[in-house]
């Protein structure tokens, strides 16, 4: 069982309309993991950083951020959080875009989805806000390899 937290980045989503955050919470919990906390923040570097910093000091070994990974000016998740990683996991984003092409075509190439290791030895995934994209990432990449990654960073 792995403790996890969620950050939903959106200018429009609320607790009632956050389908991606709810999907992530349910899928991770159904897989036997332990939900700690979820934050819903605006597409704003300060709000994103604040939520991220709060999760850094919890028991979470996994932080799942959804939203703000596209190419619009308001999409600041990647620019805000990737520099905070002590190591980037480039293969996640590469593979995510590769398998997403089968679902949505070349539109997948504009996703900045990535992952990295925090300075608190947590894995942090930066995912698109689309529920379908979150489902692809969790079912095809994150959940199948999660125990291996946790073991690797705690060596």
């Amino acid at each position: 069982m792995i403790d996890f937290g969620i950050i939903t980045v959106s200018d429009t989503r609320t607790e009632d309309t956050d389908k991606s955050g709810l999907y992530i919470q349910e899928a991770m919990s159904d897989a036997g993991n332990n939900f700690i906390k979820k934050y819903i923040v605006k597409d704003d570097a300060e709000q994103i950083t604040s939520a991220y910093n709060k999760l850094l000091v919890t028991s979470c070994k996994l932080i799942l951020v959804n939203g703000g990974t596209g190419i619009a000016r308001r999409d600041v998740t990647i620019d805000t959080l990737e520099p905070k990683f002590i190591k980037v996991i480039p293969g996640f984003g590469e593979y995510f875009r590769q398998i997403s092409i089968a679902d949505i075509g070349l539109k997948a190439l504009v996703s900045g989805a990535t992952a990295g290791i925090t300075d608190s030895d947590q894995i942090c995934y930066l995912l698109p806000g689309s529920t379908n994209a979150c489902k692809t990432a969790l079912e095809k990449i994150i959940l199948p390899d999660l125990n291996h990654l946790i073991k690797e960073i705690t060596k």
Side-chain angles (χ1 to χ4, degrees):
M1 175 170 38
I2 295 166
D3 290 350
F4 71 97
I6 300 166
I7 302 171
T8 294
V9 178
S10 173
D11 287 336
T12 59
R13 292 198 181 141
T14 65
E15 195 63 47
D16 292 334
T17 61
D18 182 22
K19 292 179 185 175
S20 295
L22 179 60
Y23 167 77
I24 292 168
Q25 183 178 341
E26 288 176 351
M28 289 295 298
S29 296
D30 288 350
N33 298 295
N34 184 43
F35 173 67
I36 300 297
K37 181 74 178 165
K38 178 171 83 169
Y39 296 95
I40 299 175
V41 299
K42 301 287 184 202
D43 286 286
D44 173 81
E46 287 182 21
Q47 288 188 34
I48 295 166
T49 299
S50 176
Y52 175 81
N53 287 339
K54 289 174 186 173
L55 288 175
L56 288 180
V57 297
T58 67
S59 62
C60 290
K61 289 311 248 172
L62 176 65
I63 299 172
L64 298 151
V65 182
N66 72 93
T69 62
I71 59 172
R73 285 183 188 228
R74 292 286 301 153
D75 292 330
V76 297
T77 300
I78 303 298
D79 295 334
T80 301
L81 295 182
E82 189 176 53
K84 299 179 182 317
F85 296 160
I86 60 168
K87 289 196 179 226
V88 175
I89 306 170
F92 168 75
E94 294 164 3
Y95 186 61
F96 174 77
R97 283 179 284 281
Q98 179 185 350
I99 62 176
S100 295
I101 287 173
D103 289 336
I104 63 169
L106 292 176
K107 291 186 284 186
L109 297 180
V110 302
S111 170
T114 191
I117 308 301
T118 74
D119 61 4
S120 298
D121 289 332
Q122 299 154 308
I123 301 169
C124 183
Y125 287 95
L126 308 181
L127 309 173
S130 151
T131 305
N132 188 51
C134 291
K135 184 175 182 177
T136 297
L138 279 174
E139 292 179 5
K140 295 183 179 179
I141 307 171
I142 297 170
L143 285 170
D145 199 37
L146 187 56
N147 290 327
H148 168 252
L149 287 177
I150 295 292
K151 203 177 293 183
E152 285 296 313
I153 64 170
T154 57
K155 279 186 184 178

